[in-house]
Amino acid sequence: MVAPPVARLAALPGVSTASRVAAQAAHARTTGRVLPVSPALAGLLPASGLRRGSTVAVHSSTSLLLALLAEATAAGSWAAVVGVPSLGVAAAAEHGVAVSRLALVTNPGAEYPAVMAALLDGVDLVVTEPRSVQPSIARRLSSRARHRGAVLISLGPWPAADVELHCTRGRWSGLSRGTGHLESRPAVVHARGRGAAARPLSAALALPTPAGRIAPAPPQNPTAPRPRTRAKETPAASPLLVAEEAVG
């Protein structure tokens, strides 16, 4: 007897049916009210993690978004990404996301509200990009996440988000005179929101580190030599001073 196509696919390593994913996600949802995040981000969030039922808006940083997902999925939570075609599985894996517990719905089309509602019912974290989401639909989805105990994460502004994270990034390190490899990038993450998140907070981070993850920024060495700058020449500068500057 030949097994149906769906059964053959489900038997492959790493492939799960929707019902199996929902059952595993339901079991994971009973483990606690706060989903873990990297220690580098814990101090920016109420209860030091992603509180179930909350909505988090991440502004202009896919790396920060993936860093938020990494710890929770590694601990057993399920995540789904809806309507974010630019997010790749390889990049998610490099940031520490357990991609075996990551579902991608690249283009939900006109069924976007129904797809989001179904995922919020059965998945721990649901990520979306609010390019054309009407405010009324956004508020209904946040309400559904609140009642179902899911975490809704928006890659961009979202009406009445509980927590908003903004990322200010610095220059990449690793390049020297046009050669080398990009290794690490400093960033400052700013957090503010409503209720327990009303007090603005910020943290200096490495996003990513040379290992591709997120970590507190290394402290600056106060004894490190600073770059020499030329003294501003003024009409009153002596010839000797000008000569020393030229030699230096």
Side-chain angles (χ1 to χ4, degrees):
M1 182 176 180
V2 179
V6 172
R8 292 201 303 269
L9 286 173
L12 295 175
V15 177
S16 297
T17 62
S19 59
R20 189 186 304 169
V21 169
Q24 292 170 326
H27 172 72
R29 291 161 73 90
T30 64
T31 59
R33 295 298 302 172
V34 178
L35 302 180
V37 297
S38 166
L41 296 171
L44 297 173
L45 298 169
S48 301
L50 294 169
R51 180 177 54 81
R52 290 186 181 274
S54 65
T55 298
V56 179
V58 178
H59 294 264
S60 305
S61 178
T62 305
S63 295
L64 179 57
L65 166 69
L66 295 175
L68 278 177
L69 299 180
E71 199 79 12
T73 56
S77 295
W78 285 80
V81 181
V82 181
V84 190
S86 60
L87 191 146
V89 175
E94 290 177 356
H95 282 78
V97 177
V99 294
S100 61
R101 286 185 285 274
L102 178 67
L104 300 179
V105 184
T106 305
N107 184 18
E111 299 300 320
Y112 174 85
V115 170
M116 286 289 295
L119 290 170
L120 288 169
D121 286 351
V123 180
D124 299 291
L125 304 111
V126 180
V127 178
T128 190
E129 193 171 33
R131 291 184 178 181
S132 57
V133 181
Q134 298 179 0
S136 59
I137 293 177
R139 284 190 287 269
R140 287 203 299 269
L141 292 175
S142 287
S143 177
R144 195 176 193 98
R146 186 164 54 252
H147 288 96
R148 299 297 185 180
V151 178
L152 174 58
I153 303 179
S154 169
L155 187 56
W158 191 270
D162 297 292
V163 179
E164 297 195 44
L165 300 175
H166 297 260
C167 187
T168 304
R169 288 162 289 193
R171 290 186 175 184
W172 284 94
S173 64
L175 296 180
S176 177
R177 297 184 181 275
T179 62
H181 300 277
L182 298 177
E183 294 180 351
S184 181
R185 193 178 193 184
V188 178
V189 177
H190 309 273
R192 67 177 306 165
R194 303 183 302 162
R199 184 167 65 93
L201 298 170
S202 62
L205 308 172
L207 180 64
T209 64
R213 306 300 172 86
I214 185 172
Q220 295 184 351
N221 184 0
T223 63
R226 297 182 177 180
R228 296 183 61 183
T229 58
R230 294 175 61 90
K232 182 183 294 185
E233 296 182 11
T234 64
S238 67
L240 178 58
L241 175 60
V242 173
E244 289 177 346
E245 289 176 349
V247 173

